[in-house]
Amino acid sequence: MSAALPLIATPWPDVPDLLLPALGETARTVGVVMAIVVLLGGPLGLLIFNTSPLGLTPHRAAHVTISWVANLGRSLPFLVLMAAIIPVTKLVFGTTIGFKAALIPMAVAGVAFFARLTENAVREVPRELLDVGLAAGSGRWQIMAGIQLREALPGLVAGFTLNVIAMIEYSAIAGAIGSGGIGYLAVNYGYRRFDDTIMIACIVVLIALVQLIQFTGDRAVRALTH
C-alpha cells in the first residue's frame, strides 16, 4: 500500500487553479463517452424494441439475444464492472490507468443504459402511427427515423439527460484509476490528503453541474413536447 500524502489545506484562492482543469477533464471524458453511447446505444435500443412482439420486425431469438447483451452491461455496479473489464482495457489501450482506461467501462455501462432508455422512449410511440406509416408504404427504416425517433424525441432527450448525469457519476468513480477530472481531484486531494477545502469544492461543483444539466434537459423536453 502506498504511503499517505502529506496533509495539505489548499487556500480557497488556489482552488480554481485545480478545479477548472479537472472540470475540463470531466467534460472531455463524459463528452467522448456520450458520443459513443449515442452512436451505439440508440441503434441498439431501436433494435431491441423492433425485434420485440410490438416492433416492426418481431424476432424472438434476436430480441432475447440483444436484450441479454444490454442487460449484461447493466448487471454490475460500475466499480465492479470497471475492475472486471481491466483485461479488455489492457488489451485495447495497453494500460489500466488514466483517461483511456476509463473509456471502455464507462462506454459499456452507458451504451447498455441508453439502449434501454431508447427502447422505453420508442415503446411510448402509439402503435397506430406505425400502422399508418406501413399503410402509406413507408419502409421500416423510414418509419424508424420519421416516426419512431421523431415522436420519441422528448423521451430520448430525457433519457440522454439521465445518461449524462450517470456518466458524470461514473467519471467521478473512475477517478480512482487516475482518469483525471473532478473525481480524481477529490480522491487525491480531498480523500488522500484530507483536504476539506478541495473535497467541499468538488462536491459543490458536482451538485451544481448535475442541477444545471437536469434543468437544461427538462427545458429541452418541455420545448419538444407537443
Side-chain angles (χ1 to χ4, degrees):
M1 181 181 296
S2 60
L5 295 173
L7 298 179
I8 295 176
T10 302
W12 279 104
D14 295 341
V15 170
D17 292 337
L18 294 170
L19 205 55
L20 292 179
L23 189 58
E25 291 168 354
T26 293
R28 177 192 61 174
T29 303
V30 173
V32 171
V33 169
M34 284 308 299
I36 298 171
V37 163
V38 172
L39 288 175
L40 299 182
L44 187 61
L46 271 179
L47 206 54
I48 291 173
F49 175 76
N50 284 309
T51 54
S52 73
L54 299 175
L56 296 170
T57 55
H59 192 292
R60 177 176 171 75
H63 178 70
V64 170
T65 302
I66 301 168
S67 294
W68 185 84
V69 171
N71 287 341
L72 188 64
R74 300 170 59 238
S75 299
L76 300 177
F78 181 68
L79 196 58
V80 177
L81 174 65
M82 192 169 62
I85 212 167
I86 280 177
V88 178
T89 305
K90 176 76 172 177
L91 181 66
V92 174
F93 290 121
T95 181
T96 59
I97 60 172
F99 166 69
K100 292 181 179 178
L103 291 182
I104 290 182
M106 287 180 65
V108 169
V111 166
F113 188 33
F114 193 64
R116 285 302 185 189
L117 293 172
T118 300
E119 179 202 4
N120 289 336
V122 172
R123 185 185 296 156
E124 297 301 318
V125 177
R127 175 69 201 190
E128 293 78 10
L129 293 179
L130 307 186
D131 293 337
V132 169
L134 290 171
S138 301
R140 290 184 170 82
W141 290 111
Q142 290 175 307
I143 293 174
M144 287 184 201
I147 296 179
Q148 288 182 327
L149 290 181
R150 187 183 64 188
E151 294 296 324
L153 194 53
L156 291 172
V157 171
F160 179 84
T161 303
L162 287 176
N163 217 321
V164 170
I165 292 172
M167 289 306 104
I168 290 174
E169 177 189 344
Y170 291 172
S171 74
I173 298 173
I177 59 170
S179 65
I182 299 294
Y184 179 76
L185 185 64
V187 168
N188 278 282
Y189 283 78
Y191 175 67
R192 291 182 178 167
R193 299 185 183 186
F194 300 100
D195 188 334
D196 291 340
T197 303
I198 291 297
M199 182 61 84
I200 292 170
C202 289
I203 292 172
V204 170
V205 167
L206 286 172
I207 291 174
L209 192 58
V210 169
Q211 294 289 341
L212 177 63
I213 291 170
Q214 187 65 61
F215 174 78
T216 305
D218 290 344
R219 291 291 298 268
V221 170
R222 281 199 293 272
L224 291 169
T225 301
H226 51 81

